[in-house]
Amino acid sequence: MTRFGYFLATEEHGPEELVRQAGAAQEAGFDALWISDHYHPWLGAQGQSSFVWSVIGAIGQVTSLPVATAVTCPTTRIHPAIVAQAAATAAAMTPGGFSLGVGTGEALNEHILGDPWPHAARRLAMLEEAIEVMRELWSGRTVSHHGEFYTVDTARLYTLPEEPPPVLMSAFGPKATALAARAADGLVQVAPAPETVDRFRREGGAGKPVQGGLKVCWAPNEQDAVRTAYERWPNEALSGEAPQVLPSPRHFEQLTQGLVTPEMVADEVTCGPDPERHVAAIEAYLEAGVDEVYVCQVGDDQDGFFGFYSEEVLPRLRGAR
């Protein structure tokens, strides 16, 4: 059965509000949760960036929904042995289940310790080894690992869930998609990309779940929604490699102020109160082959959004499946 989830934005809301939203999402009828993992927001206007592992532990105490990070970078800012411990504890604290979504990351979050930002091929190689390290540790055995990028010295995790957390990988290009098909338990997408989904399944991902996420902005009128989306998330209209290499929120602010218009954001973020437009945006993911779709509401009117989706959008989606 297709699952429809809610996407918690750590960049835009503080930790207590995220926990509240998780409970509200369950009450509204969502099936699962995504949560972003950032050190910085994309822009200062978003205004938050809490430590995701603390928030996940709290969410596990107030909901029974499955939770996944979308996504964690376990390569540069945090050693994969530490991410393995964090994910194991998160899985032990989330009664609905926990999945570790991973990706090669962005300089925005990963540059903070002063390490050089690796090129794309090296980041992929680091991610592949990081997944290997984490899975070794989730076995419960004492692990010593001496690889190309990481060393682990006689480490053992003592707090483990009943089953190791599934690893879902974000992938865009052919090389990343091939790695996801080979090394991960599922694929993460942030655009309806049927070519990527098809490649993933052809190259070893058949039968593995594909999750997709998108941003929307519900408001009583479309103009207010577009204004909010443009103020909070103009970076949604950026394409290419810039989001991976810019190191600071001020750089995103400079770039979006010069290049992005409200109309461009409205092309990327479904805005306003028309339920059919929201359904169509989600259906595009399903038509691309995505199994689970996670929706993030931009702005502060989360309760209005939850009421709208509970009454107008989720029933339409489920009635059509």
Side-chain angles (χ1 to χ4, degrees):
M1 184 182 73
T2 303
R3 290 204 302 190
F4 301 104
Y6 186 66
F7 187 177
L8 296 158
T10 61
E11 307 94 319
E12 199 178 355
H13 304 286
E16 291 183 350
E17 172 62 12
L18 292 168
V19 174
R20 188 194 74 82
Q21 288 177 25
Q26 180 165 314
E27 291 179 5
F30 284 96
D31 304 312
L33 298 168
W34 264 12
I35 186 166
S36 56
D37 180 2
H38 271 237
Y39 194 91
H40 293 138
W42 297 97
L43 306 102
Q46 292 163 5
Q48 294 285 339
S49 205
S50 51
F51 189 58
V52 72
W53 302 107
S54 302
V55 181
I56 291 170
I59 287 171
Q61 308 312 296
V62 301
T63 82
S64 58
L65 297 180
V67 182
T69 53
V71 293
T72 293
C73 179
T75 62
T76 306
R77 170 170 47 103
I78 304 179
H79 192 285
I82 306 303
V83 176
Q85 184 186 31
T89 300
M93 294 187 71
T94 46
F98 174 78
S99 298
L100 178 65
V102 300
T104 58
E106 303 92 14
L108 174 72
N109 303 301
E110 308 308 322
H111 81 282
I112 61 167
L113 302 180
D115 299 309
W117 182 234
H119 57 75
R122 186 177 179 87
R123 297 202 306 272
L124 275 179
M126 293 172 72
L127 181 58
E128 183 169 15
E129 186 178 331
I131 292 171
E132 177 188 349
V133 167
M134 292 187 293
R135 285 200 165 126
E136 288 178 359
L137 286 162
W138 291 332
S139 72
R141 298 187 296 268
T142 299
V143 173
S144 290
H145 175 95
H146 302 279
E148 181 179 359
F149 304 108
Y150 304 109
T151 297
V152 179
D153 182 16
T154 57
R156 178 183 171 190
L157 295 181
Y158 282 82
T159 297
L160 290 165
E162 292 184 5
E163 298 290 335
V167 176
L168 311 171
M169 181 178 156
S170 174
F172 302 100
K175 293 180 180 179
T177 303
L179 175 59
R182 180 175 72 253
D185 302 306
L187 178 69
V188 171
Q189 294 284 275
V190 290
E195 302 86 358
T196 301
V197 175
D198 290 345
R199 182 185 296 273
F200 172 75
R201 290 183 169 139
R202 286 197 314 270
E203 298 191 6
K208 298 178 180 180
V210 177
Q211 299 183 350
L214 71 157
K215 290 184 175 62
V216 305
C217 187
W218 175 85
N221 67 75
E222 185 175 351
Q223 293 77 14
D224 287 346
V226 171
R227 185 181 308 111
T228 297
Y230 178 66
E231 290 172 354
R232 294 288 182 89
W233 288 89
N235 53 296
E236 281 294 295
L238 296 178
S239 60
E241 296 181 42
Q244 295 178 337
V245 301
L246 295 178
S248 169
R250 66 185 175 87
H251 295 125
F252 282 90
E253 290 161 4
Q254 292 164 3
L255 188 60
T256 55
Q257 288 169 5
L259 294 178
V260 176
T261 66
E263 292 75 19
M264 292 168 65
V265 175
D267 286 341
E268 300 296 328
V269 178
T270 299
C271 293
D274 183 352
E276 296 301 336
R277 291 185 60 193
H278 289 257
V279 168
I282 294 167
E283 289 281 5
Y285 282 77
L286 303 178
E287 291 166 4
V290 171
D291 302 302
E292 306 175 22
V293 185
Y294 294 77
V295 184
C296 179
Q297 161 73 358
V298 173
D300 298 323
D301 194 354
Q302 303 296 315
D303 292 335
F305 163 85
F306 285 128
F308 171 66
Y309 263 65
S310 178
E311 296 170 10
E312 301 287 348
V313 178
L314 293 177
R316 283 175 164 84
L317 288 166
R318 292 184 173 126
R321 305 310 298 169

